[in-house]
Amino acid sequence: VLDDPAPSSVPGIQQIMAHLSLGADKLDRAYFVTPDGEHLINGSIWDLNKSPFEDTLRKLPDDGYSMGPAKAKVTIVLFSDFECPYCKQFATTVRQNIAQKYPNDVRVIFKDFPLTPIHPWAHAAAEAARCLGEQKPEAFWAFHDWIFEHQAEVNAGNLREKTLALAKAQHLDEARAASCIDTHATAAAVDESVKIARGFDVNLTPTLFINGRMQTGAMPWDRLDTMIQRDLHSPFTPKN
């Protein structure tokens, strides 16, 4: 389905939003029309006076479980999978370094992207993490750290039991957590996160957006640190 042409950020260039769907999957794409109406442009318009990733950053989700201040100079939106070994490696990098070095300058927002076809308990783990986090945000991060640390010990058969043991250790309402898990109360939220990720062409984990700039893979800390430093000193980064 195509929307009617509308003005874009560039005079004379019109924008058309295309709403694509295949079964339950939906995707929105922006296209641009030249002034003569004869050419359709598939791509992005960059204002050279602004960060080329500003539009992506603006469209990325700003909600979810996060660490770091809301008005941090650098925002990292991280799409991850609790069963992914590379996500485990990168989670350690993030948790051991960012808060320690950049407590006031960097915010990390965690988003779910379980690779269900190859990771059989990843979606259930994402649901479970939210079930605990709904009672206490700190419990989400406790689950995050615990499940990556014990990833090799978890399977589809024992995930529920181990999650409820963690709920008890976190002094949560175990019956409420069990009900949330058993009724898949948070499944829709996980699916929505996956839908958002696909809208940004995410197809593997971990995938992160550093102030809107897309990066993939479990990069080492020195590389991530360099990217953070670059954005902290970028002329396009707001000075708080």
Side-chain angles (χ1 to χ4, degrees), residues 84-111:
C84 163
Y86 302 105
C87 297
K88 172 184 177 179
Q89 178 182 339
F90 191 63
T92 301
T93 297
V94 169
R95 294 288 278 169
Q96 289 184 352
N97 293 283
I98 288 183
Q100 178 179 345
K101 185 169 183 179
Y102 300 108
N104 301 312
D105 292 328
V106 178
R107 182 188 185 201
V108 178
I109 302 173
F110 184 96
K111 303 301 291 185

Side-chain angles (χ1 to χ4, degrees), residues 67 78-96 108 110-115 119 121-122 125-126 129 139-154 159 162-163 166 205-207 218:
M67 49 181 282
L78 171 61
F79 290 92
S80 189
D81 172 321
F82 287 123
E83 196 175 349
C84 163
Y86 302 105
C87 297
K88 172 184 177 179
Q89 178 182 339
F90 191 63
T92 301
T93 297
V94 169
R95 294 288 278 169
Q96 289 184 352
V108 178
F110 184 96
K111 303 301 291 185
D112 295 303
F113 192 67
L115 299 173
H119 294 154
W121 54 263
F140 169 87
W141 290 107
F143 181 95
H144 171 282
D145 296 345
W146 178 87
I147 201 159
F148 278 131
E149 181 181 354
H150 298 275
Q151 192 180 70
E153 305 165 21
V154 177
L159 175 63
K162 289 182 177 294
T163 299
L166 182 61
T205 55
T207 291

Side-chain angles (χ1 to χ4, degrees), residues 75-231:
T75 297
I76 299 174
V77 179
L78 171 61
F79 290 92
S80 189
D81 172 321
F82 287 123
E83 196 175 349
C84 163
Y86 302 105
C87 297
K88 172 184 177 179
Q89 178 182 339
F90 191 63
T92 301
T93 297
V94 169
R95 294 288 278 169
Q96 289 184 352
N97 293 283
I98 288 183
Q100 178 179 345
K101 185 169 183 179
Y102 300 108
N104 301 312
D105 292 328
V106 178
R107 182 188 185 201
V108 178
I109 302 173
F110 184 96
K111 303 301 291 185
D112 295 303
F113 192 67
L115 299 173
T116 307
I118 60 173
H119 294 154
W121 54 263
H123 197 288
E127 294 179 41
R130 289 173 178 269
C131 284
L132 301 195
E134 284 184 351
Q135 294 196 45
K136 184 172 69 174
E138 295 83 0
F140 169 87
W141 290 107
F143 181 95
H144 171 282
D145 296 345
W146 178 87
I147 201 159
F148 278 131
E149 181 181 354
H150 298 275
Q151 192 180 70
E153 305 165 21
V154 177
N155 56 56
N158 64 22
L159 175 63
R160 180 184 186 277
E161 175 187 355
K162 289 182 177 294
T163 299
L164 294 179
L166 182 61
K168 181 177 182 179
Q170 289 291 309
H171 307 292
L172 303 181
D173 184 330
E174 296 172 62
R176 177 182 168 187
S179 176
C180 181
I181 292 170
D182 294 341
T183 61
H184 300 282
T186 60
V190 175
D191 291 340
E192 178 63 22
S193 182
V194 172
K195 176 183 174 183
I196 290 170
R198 295 200 184 282
F200 288 97
D201 294 325
V202 174
N203 53 40
L204 56 83
T205 55
T207 291
L208 60 155
F209 292 83
I210 307 173
N211 271 8
R213 182 189 294 106
M214 185 177 184
Q215 301 290 324
T216 59
M219 68 181 70
W221 170 243
D222 58 350
R223 181 182 167 199
L224 178 59
D225 191 25
T226 297
M227 292 182 175
I228 292 172
Q229 285 289 329
R230 178 176 58 192
D231 275 6

